[in-house]
Amino acid sequence: MVGGSYHQSRAGSICSTVAPVTLDELKDSVAQGTVDTVVLAMTDMQGRLQGKRLTATHFLAEVAEHGAEGCNYLLAVDVDMRTVDGYEMSSWERGYSDMVLKPDLATLRPVPWQEGTVVCLTDVAWPDGSDVLASPRQILRRQLARLTERGWSANAGTELEFIVFLDTYEEAWHKGYRDLRPANLYNVDYSLLGTARVEPLIRLIRNSMAGAGMVVEDSKGECNYGQHEINFHYADALRTADEHSIYKNGAKEIAAEQGMAITFMAKLDEREGNSCHIHFSLADDSNPPTPLFARDEALFNSFLAGQLACLREMTLLLAPHVNSYKRFAAGSFAPTTVAWGHDNRTCSLRVVGHGPGKRFENRVGGADLNPYPALSAIIASGLHGIDAGLELEPALEGNAYAASERPRLPETLRDARELFAASEIAREAFGQEVVAHYLNAADVELAAFQSAVTDWERVRGFERL
């Protein structure tokens, strides 16, 4: 909640984009018998890894070059994996045909918490080779291509908070997710004594992610009971999104192996929610890349002005679920106001750093976001600000929660859905097909929530109404 990670003090250096495991190294490991499994994964609409576990020999013989098939319903189902109506690309009428999962060999990396295993992420294409436009990874690739056309690249760091429980996932299921036992019974924000209670698990996650090729910086406690955060060094935006997805999936797998559970829900209870603060900057195409924000103040101002101008209509891509909006609460370190400030954690957009490390932090998203569309929204908004020549308003001073004159973030998923639907900027940046696909995802989520009867309703109404 109040942690941070994105230190560009090393003259703007960024993490290498070289794969932690090369294809030749994988071949050697398979020949030596130390690797036998390749997890082939794509990222779905909810930001989850989906795919197959392949024998390493089959991956090397066939899949590394030609790809593998996966049903196109993987980008057209709800959280429960139910087939739902409204998606143009995937339906009973279209026969739920296959997509091609094309391995991105630059993403090959070990999975230290699973014996003899590596993971490889994929781009998603149709059998004719064309991109599946609604695929989260392809959306981000297209926004990054827009930057490349201008000689720029994007660097980003994501900070994911989570809550640890002593219950297993199966125990939590059978309890109906009630009366769970958080790993800490008081606020352990920055507490070394409190975080030591869960250090065996957190250390295992830190070291496992380092073993998977990620550059781990630190971990710290947070405010809610059992709430923690692990921070990683920033990297180019695509790598950051890839590692975000692998880390989130891996942390759950490691917790399950230890007989515990982790949740990345944006808002579990009435206390502080789980955030995903996104730090963002631009660099040029020199070798090595040089950070732009400190060097070109006008560019920085226009890019940040674009964030302010587009934030409400892009919120759907930062807060994609009904629960996401419960997190926006005054005095909770989650924003409610469209505003920017210098190192001001009450604002949606917080400007921090200096010199090569100058950047802004988008504080809107919760830990339930999908990093690919979220980063795409930031890029599209910034490019709009530059192309429209937007001027940056003065920084907000003081408490943004009390700034009643400022625009407010959408308060519900329905509000965010309507703003996204009306956004010409979103249509221009992403295309009508992508906008329609993500609007339908919001409609599916809203319909599911509308049909559910909650515990709150039962407690409130069972006897007294």
Side-chain angles (χ1 to χ4, degrees):
M1 178 156 318
V2 293
S5 172
Y6 193 101
H7 308 299
Q8 285 188 302
S9 57
R10 291 176 287 280
S13 62
I14 63 173
C15 299
S16 169
T17 56
V18 176
V21 176
T22 67
L23 191 61
D24 285 340
E25 288 170 340
L26 176 59
K27 290 176 181 177
D28 291 342
S29 297
V30 173
Q32 295 165 11
T34 57
V35 171
D36 55 53
T37 301
V38 177
V39 174
L40 191 71
M42 59 166 279
T43 307
D44 71 3
M45 294 286 289
Q46 289 76 31
R48 304 173 298 188
L49 296 186
Q50 306 283 14
K52 305 176 181 181
R53 284 183 169 84
L54 310 176
T55 62
T57 52
H58 176 59
F59 176 82
L60 291 174
E62 299 286 344
V63 176
E65 181 178 357
H66 302 294
E69 294 74 33
C71 180
N72 66 28
Y73 99 136
L74 289 171
L75 291 174
V77 290
D78 66 6
V79 174
D80 294 321
M81 300 299 290
R82 294 183 306 116
T83 54
V84 292
D85 294 331
Y87 288 109
E88 173 64 26
M89 60 164 275
S90 180
S91 65
W92 295 113
E93 289 71 25
R94 294 177 67 101
Y96 286 111
S97 59
D98 277 341
M99 306 178 294
V100 179
L101 308 184
K102 299 167 52 181
D104 181 348
L105 298 179
T107 68
L108 267 174
R109 64 183 66 228
V111 181
W113 57 96
Q114 293 178 357
E115 185 178 357
T117 300
V118 300
V119 63
C120 184
L121 299 185
T122 64
D123 290 308
V124 186
W126 295 115
D128 66 4
S130 61
D131 285 344
V132 176
L133 296 180
S135 165
R137 200 166 193 259
Q138 300 347 105
I139 292 173
L140 179 55
R141 277 197 180 278
R142 287 194 300 280
Q143 296 309 305
L144 292 172
R146 296 178 68 199
L147 292 177
T148 301
E149 291 172 357
R150 303 172 190 233
W152 301 337
S153 60
N155 296 322
T158 57
E159 301 173 350
L160 276 170
E161 294 173 344
F162 54 86
I163 298 176
V164 181
F165 292 95
L166 302 180
D167 311 82
T168 67
Y169 283 110
E170 290 73 22
E171 288 167 344
W173 173 282
H174 289 298
K175 286 183 174 183
Y177 303 99
R178 292 183 291 272
D179 301 321
L180 303 183
R181 298 172 296 152
N184 299 100
L185 301 178
Y186 56 87
N187 180 332
V188 297
D189 192 23
Y190 288 100
S191 169
L192 295 177
L193 175 65
T195 53
R197 296 283 205 282
V198 221
E199 174 61 4
L201 172 65
I202 302 300
R203 178 176 181 268
L204 183 57
I205 297 174
R206 286 198 312 265
N207 291 344
S208 295
M209 297 306 145
M214 302 181 199
V215 183
V216 185
E217 291 191 343
D218 58 64
S219 61
K220 64 178 290 291
E222 290 290 349
C223 298
N224 203 339
Y225 301 150
Q227 189 177 47
H228 296 261
E229 174 181 284
I230 299 175
N231 291 313
F232 299 84
H233 197 70
Y234 75 98
D236 68 86
L238 184 62
R239 182 176 181 127
T240 288
D242 290 342
E243 293 187 345
H244 174 122
S245 301
I246 293 170
Y247 157 59
K248 188 173 178 181
N249 190 76
K252 291 179 180 180
E253 291 178 344
I254 293 167
E257 290 176 356
Q258 301 302 306
M260 304 170 77
I262 282 175
T263 184
F264 291 94
M265 281 184 66
K267 189 74 167 178
L268 176 73
D269 54 26
E270 287 72 24
R271 291 183 59 85
E272 294 82 2
N274 288 321
S275 69
C276 177
H277 301 151
I278 301 176
H279 292 250
F280 189 92
S281 65
L282 293 179
D284 64 18
D285 58 1
S286 60
N287 189 16
T290 303
L292 288 174
F293 282 169
R295 194 176 77 199
D296 191 335
E297 184 176 2
L299 181 148
F300 175 76
N301 288 347
S302 291
F303 201 91
L304 186 60
Q307 306 303 310
L308 291 167
C310 301
L311 191 56
R312 280 170 47 82
E313 58 202 84
M314 294 291 185
T315 296
L316 179 66
L317 301 185
L318 293 158
H321 305 116
V322 167
N323 180 255
S324 307
Y325 295 82
K326 304 290 181 69
R327 184 176 146 267
F328 300 150
S332 69
F333 287 103
T336 59
T337 303
V338 177
W340 79 277
H342 291 288
D343 197 9
N344 186 338
R345 287 185 169 92
T346 70
C347 294
S348 298
L349 299 161
R350 170 179 169 246
V351 174
V352 289
H354 54 85
K358 185 176 182 179
R359 64 200 185 272
F360 65 86
E361 175 193 49
N362 184 310
R363 298 177 60 83
V364 174
D368 60 336
L369 62 69
N370 186 329
Y372 301 93
L375 285 165
S376 299
I378 289 172
I379 295 170
S381 299
L383 290 179
H384 168 72
I386 290 172
D387 291 343
L390 299 184
E391 295 187 5
L392 183 63
E393 63 190 44
L396 186 142
E397 303 288 344
N399 184 359
Y401 295 122
S404 57
E405 75 283 1
R406 296 297 306 155
R408 315 299 284 183
L409 291 175
E411 295 185 350
T412 67
L413 178 62
R414 189 173 299 280
D415 292 341
R417 186 252 184 236
E418 295 307 314
L419 286 163
F420 189 68
S423 175
E424 291 302 320
I425 297 167
R427 280 180 170 77
E428 182 179 347
F430 307 127
Q432 175 58 29
E433 180 178 337
V434 170
V435 169
H437 196 88
Y438 282 76
L439 287 175
N440 193 65
D443 291 340
V444 167
E445 171 86 351
L446 287 164
F449 181 69
Q450 186 63 32
S451 66
V453 179
T454 66
D455 286 352
W456 180 85
E457 292 168 279
R458 293 189 185 95
V459 170
R460 189 176 180 86
F462 186 90
E463 176 181 349
R464 291 170 289 180
L465 294 183

